[in-house]
Amino acid sequence: MDSKFPIPNPERPIAYVRPIKASELPEEIRAQLPGVTDLYAIHHEEGERLALVTDRTMAFIMARQNDFEPVSVH
């Protein structure tokens, strides 16, 4: 297979971006998201959640602006 796969920059820590359902979040967070059903979580490489955003592109931009190398997780 000749598919190209981007290799993360080893000089920056990895941030994992994964889709989540608002229903998976605690009630106090869901209360702040009226009408939102799908979000993207940005996680540190050790698993700590760093941020929640409603747009995948914004998740990648936010990670890069904070000196992380974002990768998608399914």
Side-chain angles (χ1 to χ4, degrees), residues 3-42:
S3 297
K4 293 185 179 186
F5 182 78
I7 298 173
N9 182 343
E11 296 176 13
R12 293 171 28 171
I14 293 174
Y16 296 101
V17 176
R18 73 178 188 96
I20 63 168
K21 298 286 185 191
S23 61
E24 298 174 21
L25 299 171
E27 177 58 37
E28 59 270 10
I29 295 175
R30 288 194 314 260
Q32 299 174 39
L33 303 167
V36 176
T37 57
D38 299 309
L39 297 132
Y40 290 87
I42 304 169

Side-chain angles (χ1 to χ4, degrees), residues 41-62:
I42 304 169
H43 291 267
H44 186 272
E45 57 191 6
E46 294 177 3
E48 178 185 2
R49 183 182 300 150
L50 302 172
L52 294 170
V53 295
T54 57
D55 181 79
R56 184 178 183 273
T57 300
M58 181 54 70
F60 276 75
I61 290 170
M62 185 180 289

